[in-house]
Amino acid sequence: MNKKSKKISAYMTVEISLLFPLIISLLMCIIYLVFYSYNSTVAFQNAAICALYGKSFSYTETEGTNCVDTMYAVLERLNQGQYIALDCLNQQVKIEGNHIVVKQEGNVNIPLLNPEIMSQINFSEGVSVNKQNAVFYMRQIRKVKNYE
């Protein structure tokens, strides 16, 4: 029985050995970008929902700390189980004058990377919302101005 042997030239083997690391590193970069963009988008979405939730409160300056505590609880509930490959998440809720500021920062944890490099790869998303009395706002919209 004659077996036909298939001959492959040596340059093909060298070419593949050079291409495979490039392809694998490209795939790792794409996976990292997907994790990064997903976590950044979810952080922005949850910060915006929390800021709008805080805007719906009608409160005075003495009740501001109670509002901040409630907004932290809402933000914690929104963030639960939402992120992929997240190393740490820092949350900040502040009431500054007439604005509600919600900010989230985190590090994306990619396996195969040096920990020193991973500490530099982070995202930061924040939202600032102007607090306003809803009843006053609706009355301002309904006013009809006479243009003469």
Side-chain angles (χ1 to χ4, degrees), residues 8-37:
I8 298 176
S9 56
Y11 75 89
M12 181 70 130
T13 309
V14 173
E15 218 174 274
I16 289 175
S17 69
L18 292 176
L19 283 178
F20 267 13
L22 290 174
I23 292 171
I24 289 174
S25 61
L26 180 68
L27 286 175
M28 287 299 291
C29 286
I30 290 172
I31 289 171
Y32 163 72
L33 286 174
V34 167
F35 285 167
Y36 181 82
S37 64

Side-chain angles (χ1 to χ4, degrees), residues 72-90:
Y72 268 120
V74 167
L75 195 58
E76 190 67 37
R77 186 175 49 92
L78 285 171
N79 288 333
Q80 189 174 7
Q82 290 266 331
Y83 295 98
I84 299 173
L86 188 69
D87 192 21
C88 68
L89 182 68
N90 300 324

